[in-house]
mmCIF file of all heavy atoms in Angstrom:
data_model
loop_
_atom_site.group_PDB
_atom_site.id
_atom_site.type_symbol
_atom_site.label_atom_id
_atom_site.label_comp_id
_atom_site.label_asym_id
_atom_site.label_seq_id
_atom_site.Cartn_x
_atom_site.Cartn_y
_atom_site.Cartn_z
ATOM 1 N N SER A 129 -6.683 4.203 12.497
ATOM 2 C CA SER A 129 -8.045 4.609 12.120
ATOM 3 C C SER A 129 -8.006 5.272 10.801
ATOM 4 O O SER A 129 -8.973 5.175 9.991
ATOM 5 C CB SER A 129 -8.586 5.576 13.251
ATOM 6 O OG SER A 129 -7.844 6.629 13.350
ATOM 7 N N VAL A 130 -6.959 5.992 10.492
ATOM 8 C CA VAL A 130 -6.857 6.717 9.178
ATOM 9 C C VAL A 130 -6.850 5.696 8.023
ATOM 10 O O VAL A 130 -7.479 5.910 7.073
ATOM 11 C CB VAL A 130 -5.568 7.615 9.170
ATOM 12 C CG1 VAL A 130 -5.337 8.171 7.728
ATOM 13 C CG2 VAL A 130 -5.672 8.751 10.069
ATOM 14 N N PHE A 131 -6.030 4.633 8.288
ATOM 15 C CA PHE A 131 -6.032 3.641 7.258
ATOM 16 C C PHE A 131 -7.378 2.910 6.955
ATOM 17 O O PHE A 131 -7.840 2.848 5.734
ATOM 18 C CB PHE A 131 -5.081 2.490 7.789
ATOM 19 C CG PHE A 131 -4.892 1.360 6.844
ATOM 20 C CD1 PHE A 131 -3.779 1.231 6.063
ATOM 21 C CD2 PHE A 131 -5.798 0.293 6.733
ATOM 22 C CE1 PHE A 131 -3.386 0.216 5.149
ATOM 23 C CE2 PHE A 131 -5.520 -0.781 5.885
ATOM 24 C CZ PHE A 131 -4.366 -0.789 5.096
ATOM 25 N N ASN A 132 -8.113 2.645 8.046
ATOM 26 C CA ASN A 132 -9.456 2.029 7.758
ATOM 27 C C ASN A 132 -10.394 2.993 7.227
ATOM 28 O O ASN A 132 -11.231 2.645 6.339
ATOM 29 C CB ASN A 132 -9.948 1.519 9.224
ATOM 30 C CG ASN A 132 -9.240 0.353 9.671
ATOM 31 O OD1 ASN A 132 -8.849 -0.599 8.820
ATOM 32 N ND2 ASN A 132 -8.988 0.267 10.990
ATOM 33 N N GLU A 133 -10.264 4.361 7.619
ATOM 34 C CA GLU A 133 -11.143 5.301 6.914
ATOM 35 C C GLU A 133 -10.985 5.486 5.393
ATOM 36 O O GLU A 133 -11.897 5.488 4.695
ATOM 37 C CB GLU A 133 -10.944 6.722 7.658
ATOM 38 C CG GLU A 133 -11.947 7.776 7.199
ATOM 39 C CD GLU A 133 -11.750 9.060 8.009
ATOM 40 O OE1 GLU A 133 -11.291 8.886 9.190
ATOM 41 O OE2 GLU A 133 -12.108 10.130 7.491
ATOM 42 N N VAL A 134 -9.646 5.549 5.061
ATOM 43 C CA VAL A 134 -9.360 5.642 3.619
ATOM 44 C C VAL A 134 -9.783 4.448 2.839
ATOM 45 O O VAL A 134 -10.398 4.407 1.751
ATOM 46 C CB VAL A 134 -7.866 5.937 3.381
ATOM 47 C CG1 VAL A 134 -7.420 5.885 1.957
ATOM 48 C CG2 VAL A 134 -7.542 7.307 3.957
ATOM 49 N N ILE A 135 -9.656 3.303 3.392
ATOM 50 C CA ILE A 135 -10.042 2.004 2.800
ATOM 51 C C ILE A 135 -11.590 2.041 2.584
ATOM 52 O O ILE A 135 -12.043 1.732 1.527
ATOM 53 C CB ILE A 135 -9.639 0.714 3.614
ATOM 54 C CG1 ILE A 135 -8.137 0.541 3.588
ATOM 55 C CG2 ILE A 135 -10.421 -0.393 3.159
ATOM 56 C CD1 ILE A 135 -7.565 0.006 2.357
ATOM 57 N N ASP A 136 -12.259 2.331 3.627
ATOM 58 C CA ASP A 136 -13.805 2.223 3.537
ATOM 59 C C ASP A 136 -14.371 3.297 2.744
ATOM 60 O O ASP A 136 -15.335 3.091 1.952
ATOM 61 C CB ASP A 136 -14.245 2.382 5.008
ATOM 62 C CG ASP A 136 -14.042 1.311 5.860
ATOM 63 O OD1 ASP A 136 -13.619 0.127 5.353
ATOM 64 O OD2 ASP A 136 -14.046 1.325 7.140
ATOM 65 N N LYS A 137 -13.851 4.595 2.721
ATOM 66 C CA LYS A 137 -14.433 5.721 2.023
ATOM 67 C C LYS A 137 -13.851 5.999 0.651
ATOM 68 O O LYS A 137 -14.564 6.512 -0.209
ATOM 69 C CB LYS A 137 -14.290 6.981 2.924
ATOM 70 C CG LYS A 137 -15.130 6.941 4.224
ATOM 71 C CD LYS A 137 -15.021 8.219 4.968
ATOM 72 C CE LYS A 137 -15.832 8.213 6.228
ATOM 73 N NZ LYS A 137 -15.782 9.519 6.914
ATOM 74 N N GLU A 138 -12.557 5.669 0.352
ATOM 75 C CA GLU A 138 -11.984 5.960 -0.889
ATOM 76 C C GLU A 138 -11.645 4.797 -1.786
ATOM 77 O O GLU A 138 -11.733 4.779 -2.971
ATOM 78 C CB GLU A 138 -10.784 6.886 -0.644
ATOM 79 C CG GLU A 138 -11.104 8.207 0.090
ATOM 80 C CD GLU A 138 -9.881 9.054 0.173
ATOM 81 O OE1 GLU A 138 -8.959 9.063 -0.779
ATOM 82 O OE2 GLU A 138 -9.666 9.629 1.294
ATOM 83 N N ILE A 139 -11.093 3.752 -1.120
ATOM 84 C CA ILE A 139 -10.597 2.680 -1.852
ATOM 85 C C ILE A 139 -11.601 1.572 -2.146
ATOM 86 O O ILE A 139 -11.761 1.198 -3.325
ATOM 87 C CB ILE A 139 -9.360 2.020 -1.165
ATOM 88 C CG1 ILE A 139 -8.212 3.011 -1.194
ATOM 89 C CG2 ILE A 139 -8.948 0.672 -1.907
ATOM 90 C CD1 ILE A 139 -6.992 2.472 -0.481
ATOM 91 N N ALA A 140 -12.339 1.130 -1.207
ATOM 92 C CA ALA A 140 -13.337 0.074 -1.423
ATOM 93 C C ALA A 140 -14.385 0.459 -2.351
ATOM 94 O O ALA A 140 -14.786 -0.414 -3.251
ATOM 95 C CB ALA A 140 -14.004 -0.281 -0.012
ATOM 96 N N PRO A 141 -14.919 1.655 -2.337
ATOM 97 C CA PRO A 141 -15.912 2.027 -3.397
ATOM 98 C C PRO A 141 -15.310 2.051 -4.764
ATOM 99 O O PRO A 141 -16.017 1.519 -5.678
ATOM 100 C CB PRO A 141 -16.334 3.552 -2.979
ATOM 101 C CG PRO A 141 -15.989 3.596 -1.545
ATOM 102 C CD PRO A 141 -14.736 2.752 -1.306
ATOM 103 N N GLN A 142 -14.068 2.408 -5.014
ATOM 104 C CA GLN A 142 -13.520 2.422 -6.348
ATOM 105 C C GLN A 142 -13.343 0.895 -6.854
ATOM 106 O O GLN A 142 -13.719 0.515 -7.990
ATOM 107 C CB GLN A 142 -12.145 3.062 -6.362
ATOM 108 C CG GLN A 142 -12.259 4.619 -6.261
ATOM 109 C CD GLN A 142 -12.732 5.299 -7.465
ATOM 110 O OE1 GLN A 142 -13.077 4.628 -8.443
ATOM 111 N NE2 GLN A 142 -12.897 6.662 -7.464
ATOM 112 N N LEU A 143 -12.927 0.097 -5.893
ATOM 113 C CA LEU A 143 -12.721 -1.377 -6.258
ATOM 114 C C LEU A 143 -14.053 -2.054 -6.624
ATOM 115 O O LEU A 143 -14.071 -2.845 -7.473
ATOM 116 C CB LEU A 143 -12.084 -2.136 -5.088
ATOM 117 C CG LEU A 143 -10.574 -1.659 -4.775
ATOM 118 C CD1 LEU A 143 -9.990 -2.430 -3.636
ATOM 119 C CD2 LEU A 143 -9.681 -1.787 -5.980
ATOM 120 N N GLN A 144 -15.092 -1.658 -5.832
ATOM 121 C CA GLN A 144 -16.461 -2.124 -6.184
ATOM 122 C C GLN A 144 -16.785 -1.844 -7.668
ATOM 123 O O GLN A 144 -17.359 -2.589 -8.355
ATOM 124 C CB GLN A 144 -17.377 -1.719 -5.204
ATOM 125 C CG GLN A 144 -17.323 -2.414 -3.767
ATOM 126 C CD GLN A 144 -17.445 -3.899 -3.857
ATOM 127 O OE1 GLN A 144 -18.337 -4.456 -4.603
ATOM 128 N NE2 GLN A 144 -16.547 -4.601 -3.201
ATOM 129 N N LYS A 145 -16.571 -0.498 -7.999
ATOM 130 C CA LYS A 145 -16.933 -0.203 -9.371
ATOM 131 C C LYS A 145 -16.153 -0.832 -10.395
ATOM 132 O O LYS A 145 -16.659 -1.227 -11.489
ATOM 133 C CB LYS A 145 -16.756 1.409 -9.479
ATOM 134 C CG LYS A 145 -17.546 2.257 -8.673
ATOM 135 C CD LYS A 145 -17.216 3.765 -8.814
ATOM 136 C CE LYS A 145 -18.039 4.591 -7.952
ATOM 137 N NZ LYS A 145 -17.524 5.964 -7.960
ATOM 138 N N ILE A 146 -14.870 -1.022 -10.130
ATOM 139 C CA ILE A 146 -13.954 -1.757 -11.061
ATOM 140 C C ILE A 146 -14.472 -3.179 -11.333
ATOM 141 O O ILE A 146 -14.352 -3.752 -12.463
ATOM 142 C CB ILE A 146 -12.460 -1.808 -10.563
ATOM 143 C CG1 ILE A 146 -11.906 -0.347 -10.697
ATOM 144 C CG2 ILE A 146 -11.681 -2.724 -11.302
ATOM 145 C CD1 ILE A 146 -10.581 -0.212 -10.009
ATOM 146 N N LYS A 147 -15.007 -3.789 -10.253
ATOM 147 C CA LYS A 147 -15.552 -5.168 -10.395
ATOM 148 C C LYS A 147 -16.658 -5.297 -11.303
ATOM 149 O O LYS A 147 -17.015 -6.254 -11.929
ATOM 150 C CB LYS A 147 -16.006 -5.703 -9.081
ATOM 151 C CG LYS A 147 -14.786 -6.040 -8.071
ATOM 152 C CD LYS A 147 -15.314 -6.550 -6.695
ATOM 153 C CE LYS A 147 -14.165 -6.904 -5.779
ATOM 154 N NZ LYS A 147 -14.606 -7.289 -4.461
ATOM 155 N N LEU A 148 -17.318 -4.154 -11.552
ATOM 156 C CA LEU A 148 -18.426 -4.167 -12.585
ATOM 157 C C LEU A 148 -17.939 -4.268 -14.007
ATOM 158 O O LEU A 148 -18.818 -4.503 -14.913
ATOM 159 C CB LEU A 148 -19.288 -2.943 -12.346
ATOM 160 C CG LEU A 148 -19.973 -2.706 -10.999
ATOM 161 C CD1 LEU A 148 -20.740 -1.323 -10.916
ATOM 162 C CD2 LEU A 148 -20.910 -3.823 -10.705
ATOM 163 N N LEU A 149 -16.710 -3.928 -14.272
ATOM 164 C CA LEU A 149 -16.135 -3.863 -15.584
ATOM 165 C C LEU A 149 -16.097 -5.279 -16.177
ATOM 166 O O LEU A 149 -15.655 -6.276 -15.457
ATOM 167 C CB LEU A 149 -14.867 -3.179 -15.671
ATOM 168 C CG LEU A 149 -14.798 -1.715 -15.245
ATOM 169 C CD1 LEU A 149 -13.380 -1.197 -15.358
ATOM 170 C CD2 LEU A 149 -15.812 -0.815 -15.994
ATOM 171 N N SER A 150 -16.412 -5.576 -17.537
ATOM 172 C CA SER A 150 -16.254 -6.820 -18.100
ATOM 173 C C SER A 150 -14.724 -6.990 -18.474
ATOM 174 O O SER A 150 -13.980 -5.982 -18.393
ATOM 175 C CB SER A 150 -16.999 -6.902 -19.393
ATOM 176 O OG SER A 150 -16.488 -6.002 -20.389
ATOM 177 N N PRO A 151 -14.305 -8.299 -18.744
ATOM 178 C CA PRO A 151 -12.870 -8.451 -19.160
ATOM 179 C C PRO A 151 -12.442 -7.521 -20.278
ATOM 180 O O PRO A 151 -11.285 -6.987 -20.174
ATOM 181 C CB PRO A 151 -12.860 -9.909 -19.529
ATOM 182 C CG PRO A 151 -13.914 -10.424 -18.751
ATOM 183 C CD PRO A 151 -15.017 -9.459 -18.573
ATOM 184 N N SER A 152 -13.359 -7.283 -21.287
ATOM 185 C CA SER A 152 -12.979 -6.495 -22.473
ATOM 186 C C SER A 152 -12.811 -5.055 -21.964
ATOM 187 O O SER A 152 -11.924 -4.277 -22.354
ATOM 188 C CB SER A 152 -14.062 -6.650 -23.513
ATOM 189 O OG SER A 152 -14.128 -7.888 -24.065
#
Side-chain angles (χ1 to χ4, degrees):
S129 58
V130 171
F131 182 97
N132 289 323
E133 185 175 335
V134 172
I135 291 289
D136 292 342
K137 294 184 178 180
E138 298 185 41
I139 295 177
Q142 290 286 3
L143 294 178
Q144 285 301 315
K145 291 176 185 176
I146 289 170
K147 288 180 181 178
L148 298 174
L149 301 180
S150 69
S152 295

